[in-house]
């Protein structure tokens, strides 16, 4: 590795996003529904920033400068983003049904929610691997150091990771 900036910096953002989702699951494990909901909103806000960084700047550049990358069609990246945001909306909906339930029923429903969230986490893992194996190395290949510096400086999710509120 050189000192040249690399889009692999975004793998750190991926790890940070995973840790925010874990905060939500830890709150669920403690049956703390307000915290679970707040943490999910925080995760969702930052995931949205990250998806916007990718869809508004990085993926269009990748699309313009690459051709027929195996496993790297733009629709695969954006389709996974749509599925992920759909999962988060579903989890908010499920959380909204849990208030006021007796403890045994609540725990049962939380286990069911964890099962759904496990599917989402599998998709996230797959998506991050696709980006880290295809999108980021290709972007590193087709951009100059100056472009990488400027693009990464413009990523709202990198700023949010570095300066969490
Ligand atoms: Fe993504
Ligand atoms: Fe990403």
């Amino acid at each position: 590795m050189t000192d040249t900036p690399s889009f692999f910096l975004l793998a750190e953002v991926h790890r940070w996003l995973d840790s925010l989702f874990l905060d939500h699951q830890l709150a669920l494990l403690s049956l703390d529904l307000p915290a679970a909901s707040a943490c999910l909103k925080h995760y969702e806000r930052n995931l949205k920033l990250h998806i916007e960084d990718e869809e508004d700047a990085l993926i269009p550049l990748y699309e313009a400068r690459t051709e027929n990358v195996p496993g790297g069609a733009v629709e695969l990246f954006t389709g996974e983003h749509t599925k992920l945001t759909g999962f988060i909306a579903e989890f908010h909906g499920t959380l909204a049904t849990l208030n006021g339930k007796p403890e045994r029923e609540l725990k049962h429903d939380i286990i069911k929610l964890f099962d759904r969230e496990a599917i989402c986490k599998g998709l996230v893992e797959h998506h991050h691997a696709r980006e880290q194996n295809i999108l980021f190395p290709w972007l590193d290949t087709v951009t100059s150091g100056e472009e990488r510096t400027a693009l990464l400086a413009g990523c709202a999710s990198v700023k949010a990771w570095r300066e969490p509120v």
Side-chain angles (χ1 to χ4, degrees), residues 10 14 50 54 81 127-128 131 135-136:
L10 296 172
H14 286 169
H50 183 61
E54 292 177 341
H81 289 162
H127 179 68
H128 287 174
E131 291 183 341
L135 182 64
F136 302 162

Side-chain angles (χ1 to χ4, degrees), residues 14 17 47 50-52 54-55 59 77-78 80-81 84 127-128 131 135-136:
H14 286 169
L17 288 170
L47 177 69
H50 183 61
I51 288 175
E52 284 169 0
E54 292 177 341
E55 294 197 355
I59 291 174
F77 297 113
T78 56
E80 286 162 359
H81 289 162
L84 287 177
H127 179 68
H128 287 174
E131 291 183 341
L135 182 64
F136 302 162

Side-chain angles (χ1 to χ4, degrees), residues 5-151:
S6 162
F7 288 100
F8 277 93
L9 183 68
L10 296 172
E12 298 291 334
V13 174
H14 286 169
R15 278 191 278 278
W16 173 61
L17 288 170
D18 288 345
S19 77
L20 298 184
F21 195 76
L22 178 65
D23 289 342
H24 153 73
Q25 291 201 306
L26 288 171
L28 269 182
L29 204 54
S30 306
L31 310 184
D32 186 343
L33 297 179
S37 179
C39 289
L40 187 63
K41 281 199 185 98
H42 186 56
Y43 172 72
E44 184 180 37
R45 262 195 306 277
N46 288 292
L47 177 69
K48 195 163 170 273
L49 289 180
H50 183 61
I51 288 175
E52 284 169 0
D53 289 337
E54 292 177 341
E55 294 197 355
D56 296 349
L58 307 185
I59 291 174
L61 185 70
Y62 162 86
E63 187 175 26
R65 295 192 186 177
T66 63
E67 245 179 283
N68 302 323
V69 175
V74 163
E75 297 72 29
L76 292 173
F77 297 113
T78 56
E80 286 162 359
H81 289 162
T82 304
K83 278 189 202 153
L84 287 177
T85 50
F87 265 121
I88 306 307
E90 175 194 319
F91 302 153
H92 277 305
T94 303
L95 277 173
T97 68
L98 299 181
N99 287 313
K101 290 207 173 184
E103 188 169 321
R104 184 178 168 82
E105 197 183 331
L106 173 64
K107 286 180 174 172
H108 180 231
D109 285 354
I110 286 176
I111 290 169
K112 283 200 287 184
L113 178 55
F114 276 139
D115 287 344
R116 290 292 295 162
E117 291 188 345
I119 298 170
C120 178
K121 283 162 76 175
L123 175 65
V124 168
E125 198 180 322
H126 182 78
H127 179 68
H128 287 174
R130 190 193 299 285
E131 291 183 341
Q132 288 163 209
N133 292 330
I134 298 171
L135 182 64
F136 302 162
W138 270 102
L139 279 170
D140 276 350
T141 302
V142 300
T143 52
S144 67
E146 290 75 26
E147 284 178 310
R148 287 195 288 283
T149 301
L151 284 160

